């Protein structure tokens, strides 16, 4: 049977039947294959990817995946943790200032807008861009912005002005601490010689003794100070009449004589022979309210030492003679000492005083105008009361007070304003405070910086010079011995630091000394700056301070009555400009 069946198969029809048979067989085979494929797909769907959460913060480590059909312990279904060893670092954390990407957003600290700045620090900025951090502007940040720093690097004392910083050069007279060293100015004069000075005004001829007295006043009403110098030995008028010369414009270098530089010379008039006019000078101030200063000059030699004084009316055209108001009696030597500028009569305007030390016990006339005056005397004494005078509001009550020296007695008397006519009792007096025939009483500003003006009493013939501090209620406190020879003194803020400085002179030694304030009453030697005069001079015959060149800084004016540059004893006035 078998051979027959094989034969039939070979000889039977092929086309369609054979194809149908193949199709059926293939279909079965394909079905089996599809079944296998379905089995594989089911396996893949059941598996999942899990991520290690070592720090158990709910966020997985993207670098530690694990495939499993069920979630293994210690894993999570996200890969959002950027540090799986620190539970504080995760996507829902708050960014803080610690150098770490706390919230895993790829941004750290200040680069992350969501950072909690409360965790940062205060940083101070260089707001003016001068390279130095100031204390006025600051930001809260994790790290200091460019140019900023902590409190310990603050060095700029004005971070709104790039010209003010520790590297800046101090500018004199602008009231700014340009270099942030704690002082408004470092523009101080230093020890050295007066020659060459910034300005030198020479006497006219031998024997003039120009610079015996100096003062500063706006005599022409232009708003700028002018310099007045006294030459009591001048023979401008017949015989040793004396003169006052005024320089009303600025200058530099050496000025041969006033007329060569916008100056004007004031005499007493030909009738006042031997007056020694200009032996003393003082600025009264604008008493009459016309816009220019009045001034005062003493002539103690007038009429055989009766003495007198000249009252100068400020004027745009300087007069050739003073407005004379001679007040001397026989032998009084009125004008040997004068003082001006304080309101000691209480009328609201500046007054002036003229000492007549040889009038009996001595007396002082205190003027409130050309004809009205109060006479102050020291009854029962014969000690040249009025040989030295000074006035200021020493007790700070708004009314000027008067200090008078009885020079032979070497006593100082204080009189509290307002003064009234008649003999006055001194409020207090002091022992040996340093006044004699060549002595001086000088108001020197508030050099100890306590709010009250101070006084220096110098004894021109000895080293008994004293410093007195102003104080409320007592006019002046006790005197401190300065152990120095002083015959001229003045005070003011020379270095622009807001505190008055002291300038004293020993013309006999040809020296001027400066102590920058605040000044202690002990006056150590190390505190003084020394300026030496020219050879055979008498630098410091008189002193004055004021801003002559209108630059906001005080200038130092020093008379030298013995200067011989223009002739023996012609005298000179030296000016050192503040810087």
């Amino acid at each position: 049977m078998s051979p027959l069946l094989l034969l039939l198969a070979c000889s039977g029809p092929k086309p369609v039947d054979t194809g149908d048979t193949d199709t059926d067989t293939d279909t079965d085979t394909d079905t089996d294959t599809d079944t296998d494929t379905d089995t594989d797909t089911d396996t893949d769907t059941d598996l999942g990817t899990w991520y290690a959460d070592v720090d158990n913060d709910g966020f997985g480590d993207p670098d530690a995946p694990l495939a499993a059909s069920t979630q293994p312990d210690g894993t999570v279904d996200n890969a959002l943790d950027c540090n799986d060893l620190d539970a504080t670092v995760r996507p829902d954390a708050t960014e803080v200032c610690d150098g770490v990407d706390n919230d895993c957003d790829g941004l750290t600290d200040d680069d992350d807008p969501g950072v909690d700045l409360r965790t940062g620090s205060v940083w101070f900025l260089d707001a003016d861009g001068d390279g130095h951090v100031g204390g006025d502007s600051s930001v809260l940040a994790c790290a200091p912005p460019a140019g900023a720093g902590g409190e310990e690097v603050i060095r700029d004392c004005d971070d709104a002005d790039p010209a003010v910083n520790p590297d800046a050069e101090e500018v004199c007279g602008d009231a700014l601490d340009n270099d942030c060293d704690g002082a408004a100015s470092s523009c101080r004069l230093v020890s050295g010689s007066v020659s060459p000075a910034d300005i030198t005004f020479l006497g006219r001829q031998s024997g003039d003794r120009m610079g015996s007295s100096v003062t500063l006043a706006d005599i022409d009403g232009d708003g700028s100070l002018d310099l007045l110098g006294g030459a009591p030995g001048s023979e401008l008028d017949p015989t040793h009449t004396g003169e006052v010369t005024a320089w009303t414009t600025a200058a530099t270098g050496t000025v041969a004589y006033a007329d060569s530089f916008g100056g004007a010379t004031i005499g007493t008039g030909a009738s006042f022979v031997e007056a020694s006019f200009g032996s003393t000078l003082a600025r009264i101030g604008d008493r009459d309210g016309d816009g220019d200063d009045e001034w005062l000059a003493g002539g103690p030699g007038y009429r055989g030492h009766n003495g007198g004084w000249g009252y100068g009316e400020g004027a745009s055209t300087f007069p050739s003679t003073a407005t004379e108001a001679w007040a001397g009696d026989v032998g009084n030597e009125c004008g040997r000492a004068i003082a001006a500028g304080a309101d000691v009569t209480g009328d609201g305007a500046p007054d002036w005083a003229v000492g007549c030390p040889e009038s009996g016990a001595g007396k002082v006339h205190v003027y409130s105008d050309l004809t009205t005056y109060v006479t102050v005397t020291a009854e029962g004494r014969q000690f040249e009361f009025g040989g030295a005078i000074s006035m200021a509001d020493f007790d700070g009550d708004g009314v000027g007070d008067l200090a008078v020296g009885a020079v032979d007695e070497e006593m100082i008397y204080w009189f509290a304003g307002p003064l009234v006519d008649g003999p006055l009792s001194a409020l207090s007096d002091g022992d040996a405070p340093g006044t004699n025939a060549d002595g001086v009483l000088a108001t020197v500003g508030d050099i100890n910086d306590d709010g009250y003006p101070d006084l220096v009493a110098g004894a021109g013939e000895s080293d008994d010079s004293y410093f007195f501090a102003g104080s409320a209620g007592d006019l002046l406190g006790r005197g401190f011995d300065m152990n120095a020879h002083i015959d001229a003194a003045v005070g003011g803020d020379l270095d622009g630091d807001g505190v008055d400085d002291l300038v004293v002179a020993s013309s006999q030694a040809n020296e001027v000394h400066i102590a920058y304030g605040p000044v202690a009453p002990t006056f150590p030697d190390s505190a003084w700056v020394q300026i030496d005069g020219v050879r055979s001079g008498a630098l410091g015959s008189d002193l004055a301070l004021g801003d002559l060149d209108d630059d906001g800084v005080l200038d130092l004016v020093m008379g030298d009555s013995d200067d011989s540059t223009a002739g023996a004893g012609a005298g000179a006035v030296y000016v050192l400009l503040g810087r």
Side-chain angles (χ1 to χ4, degrees), residues 362-522:
K363 62 184 177 182
V364 175
H365 296 304
V366 179
Y367 290 82
S368 55
D369 58 47
L370 286 173
T371 59
T372 305
Y373 60 88
V374 174
T375 299
V376 181
T377 62
E379 291 185 333
R381 297 184 182 275
Q382 302 290 327
F383 297 113
E384 296 195 12
F385 177 87
I389 316 171
S390 187
M391 57 171 63
D393 182 12
F394 295 112
D395 56 3
D397 65 354
V399 181
D401 311 302
L402 185 69
V404 180
V407 294
D408 279 357
E409 186 185 10
E410 295 189 352
M411 298 286 283
I412 295 177
Y413 297 86
W414 323 124
F415 299 88
L419 302 183
V420 296
D421 202 3
L424 301 178
S425 298
L427 182 66
S428 60
D429 55 54
D431 293 330
T435 57
N436 56 33
D438 295 318
V440 62
L441 288 178
T443 303
V444 292
D446 182 17
I447 61 173
N448 63 348
D449 201 27
D450 66 352
Y452 300 93
D454 307 314
L455 180 83
V456 167
E461 295 179 354
S462 73
D463 289 342
D464 290 328
S465 297
Y466 287 77
F467 167 78
F468 296 88
S471 61
D474 193 27
L475 288 187
L476 292 167
R478 72 183 182 90
F480 292 90
D481 192 342
M482 299 176 66
N483 296 312
H485 180 104
I486 296 174
D487 43 27
V490 69
D493 185 9
L494 262 173
D495 57 0
D497 64 355
V499 180
D500 286 340
D501 310 304
L502 177 63
V503 185
V504 300
S506 173
S507 61
Q508 291 184 10
N510 198 22
E511 297 171 351
V512 169
H513 299 264
I514 304 169
Y516 289 98
V519 175
T522 53

Side-chain angles (χ1 to χ4, degrees), residues 46-310:
D46 292 338
L47 291 176
T49 302
W50 312 94
Y51 299 90
D53 181 15
V54 175
D55 56 10
N56 198 33
D57 61 3
F59 299 95
D61 184 352
D63 295 327
L66 178 64
S69 57
T70 59
Q71 180 178 358
D73 292 340
T75 65
V76 292
D77 60 357
N78 65 79
L80 302 178
D81 202 339
C82 53
N83 185 352
D84 199 36
L85 298 178
D86 187 345
T88 64
V89 178
R90 59 184 190 273
D92 62 353
T94 299
E95 186 71 22
V96 296
C97 296
D98 60 359
V100 175
D101 180 13
N102 308 96
D103 57 4
C104 297
D105 62 355
L107 302 173
T108 302
D109 290 357
D110 293 311
D111 294 332
D112 191 332
V115 66
D116 183 1
L117 291 177
R118 294 174 299 178
T119 64
S121 301
V122 176
W123 303 104
F124 294 91
L125 306 177
D126 175 17
D128 56 11
D130 60 6
H132 297 277
V133 173
D136 299 330
S137 302
S138 63
V139 296
L140 195 61
C142 298
E151 187 174 1
E152 70 280 358
V153 300
I154 294 176
R155 298 183 62 211
D156 196 335
C157 52
D158 185 354
D159 207 30
D161 186 349
V164 176
N165 62 71
D167 292 334
E169 182 177 350
E170 189 67 25
V171 177
C172 298
D174 63 356
L176 298 177
D177 180 12
N178 306 95
D179 58 5
C180 297
D181 67 351
S185 176
S186 60
C187 319
R188 294 180 167 181
L189 298 174
V190 297
S191 295
S193 173
V194 73
S195 181
D198 295 294
I199 308 173
T200 301
F201 298 110
L202 298 176
R204 187 162 55 100
Q205 61 187 14
S206 296
D208 278 3
R209 296 177 56 227
M210 171 61 72
S212 294
S213 60
V214 292
T215 196
L216 300 172
D218 180 13
I219 59 175
D220 55 6
D222 65 353
S224 298
L225 290 175
D226 310 305
L227 192 157
L228 279 69
S234 168
E235 295 184 10
L236 178 68
D237 289 327
T239 308
H240 295 292
T241 298
E243 66 183 75
V244 174
T245 299
W247 292 272
T248 58
T249 53
T252 56
T254 300
V255 179
Y257 184 61
D259 292 339
S260 68
F261 185 66
T265 298
I266 308 159
T268 63
S271 61
F272 299 127
V273 178
E274 298 285 353
S276 299
F277 183 65
S279 293
T280 51
L281 276 173
R283 174 189 183 182
I284 297 173
D286 184 12
R287 180 170 181 87
D288 56 10
D290 63 355
D292 48 43
D293 288 333
E294 284 69 59
W295 53 274
L296 190 68
Y302 172 60
R303 289 185 177 174
H305 296 277
N306 291 1
W309 52 273

